[in-house]
Amino acid sequence: MEETKIPVTEQNQFPQTPKHIFILSGQSNMAGRGGVHHHHWDGVVPLDSQPHASIIRLSANLHWEPAREPLHHDIDVRKACGVGPGMSFANAVKDHLGGGGECLGLVPCAVGGTAIKEWERGQHLYDNMLKRSKESVEKTKGEIKALLWYQGESDTPSYHTAEAYKENMERLIHNVREDLGLPSLPIIQVAIASGDERYMEKVREAQLGIDLPNVICVDAKGLALKEDNLHLTTEAQVKLGHMLADGFLTHFNAPPSQSSPCSAPKNSVISISK
């Protein structure tokens, strides 16, 4: 895959406010660890993850700015961030939204090493995600199009947390929709590809088994992992971004004359193309 290095400080012009907004949340594989070695990011950005003038992000200080890797550098601050799925996702969907070429906003919220219970209503992570999501549409004509969620590895060491995962995730979906006033908000969750082997499959079973309207699942199993056997490689993150984009465009971006997002099938699973 062709790659290039770009300086993180490079400036790029962008529209004032986004029309299409996507929330990125979960833990480290959503925040992105692609290209991170020995606590430092190598700075390599694949072509599919390059910045684009129509893609912006909401900073930790709640300001819109040009989006570039690493998207979560000021959100997931306890660990070094690298390439995640957000930019390849945004580049893949940007020309298919509205009339094409309209401003797309990404709202990074993911924090590495976090369990699902830390995302309960009233907890800091949940409240911050809610605050950032609401701020993203404040004083704009933008619309939150979907929540992209990749989390669960931290719930695999314990039978209790793995057993409770499905109920906790369904509650999270209900709470986010209720608190944002978006009862049909599309949710695209990722079934984990790594974690503690003792209960990883139990968490995956919970993720793949969620059967709610406007909730689909992208299965990350089989995507390449780094040497830590936990985090996706840069190439795998790019692939995941495309899988998330395929899920969104297939199920939630139908023209007005076709089926509305509210009629999107339940329990759809998108796996790696063979």
Side-chain angles (χ1 to χ4, degrees):
M1 177 168 47
E2 295 184 55
E3 304 176 319
T4 185
K5 289 189 177 184
I6 62 169
V8 175
T9 57
E10 177 185 339
Q11 296 300 308
N12 197 4
Q13 293 184 345
F14 62 101
Q16 289 293 323
T17 57
K19 186 170 183 180
H20 310 279
I21 298 168
F22 295 89
I23 312 302
L24 312 176
S25 200
Q27 53 181 115
S28 57
N29 273 316
M30 178 59 80
R33 298 292 189 264
V36 174
H37 305 283
H38 306 294
H39 311 294
H40 296 284
W41 178 47
D42 61 16
V44 176
V45 180
L47 290 179
D48 288 353
S49 302
Q50 290 287 323
H52 190 275
S54 66
I55 305 173
I56 61 179
R57 71 182 284 273
L58 192 67
S59 72
N61 293 325
L62 304 178
H63 298 303
W64 289 109
E65 63 184 22
R68 63 185 67 252
E69 299 288 7
L71 281 174
H72 281 77
H73 70 90
D74 58 349
I75 302 297
D76 188 13
V77 297
R78 294 181 296 180
K79 297 287 182 67
C81 292
V83 174
M87 285 302 296
S88 62
F89 166 83
N91 277 307
V93 303
K94 62 181 172 57
D95 292 331
H96 302 278
L97 300 171
E102 296 175 339
C103 186
L104 183 158
L106 299 174
V107 183
C109 300
V111 177
T114 55
I116 190 80
K117 293 287 284 184
E118 296 177 76
W119 292 91
E120 286 187 339
R121 177 188 270 161
Q123 295 293 322
H124 170 73
L125 292 175
Y126 179 89
D127 290 347
N128 189 54
M129 176 176 66
L130 198 67
K131 175 184 177 181
R132 291 176 56 73
S133 300
K134 289 181 176 180
E135 183 67 24
S136 72
V137 296
E138 186 72 21
K139 300 178 182 178
T140 76
K141 296 181 180 179
E143 177 185 355
I144 298 177
K145 295 291 188 177
L147 165 64
L148 311 185
W149 177 265
Y150 190 168
Q151 186 277 333
E153 296 94 339
S154 290
D155 292 279
T156 59
S158 160
Y159 175 84
H160 174 74
T161 56
E163 176 71 16
Y165 193 89
K166 187 171 185 287
E167 180 181 350
N168 287 330
M169 185 63 200
E170 289 176 343
R171 184 183 303 113
L172 173 66
I173 292 170
H174 170 80
N175 289 344
V176 168
R177 287 173 166 174
E178 182 175 71
D179 292 341
L180 291 178
L182 299 171
S184 298
L185 176 68
I187 310 290
I188 308 178
Q189 61 164 345
V190 180
I192 58 175
S194 58
D196 192 309
E197 292 184 356
R198 286 175 294 177
Y199 300 111
M200 184 178 79
E201 287 303 322
K202 193 163 189 65
V203 171
R204 282 177 45 79
E205 179 183 333
Q207 294 170 327
L208 295 167
I210 290 177
D211 189 22
L212 296 174
N214 280 10
V215 178
I216 65 171
C217 189
V218 168
D219 193 352
K221 189 173 185 178
L223 290 175
L225 299 174
K226 294 166 53 179
E227 59 276 5
D228 63 9
N229 206 37
L230 177 63
H231 297 110
L232 300 185
T233 65
T234 295
E235 294 77 11
Q237 287 285 16
V238 172
K239 175 66 174 176
L240 177 61
H242 284 288
M243 293 168 67
L244 290 164
D246 289 344
F248 175 76
L249 294 174
T250 298
H251 297 291
F252 303 121
N253 198 46
S257 60
Q258 298 182 18
S259 60
S260 69
C262 294
S263 62
K266 298 188 291 183
N267 202 30
S268 297
V269 178
I270 298 168
S271 301
I272 301 171
S273 299
K274 302 299 183 183

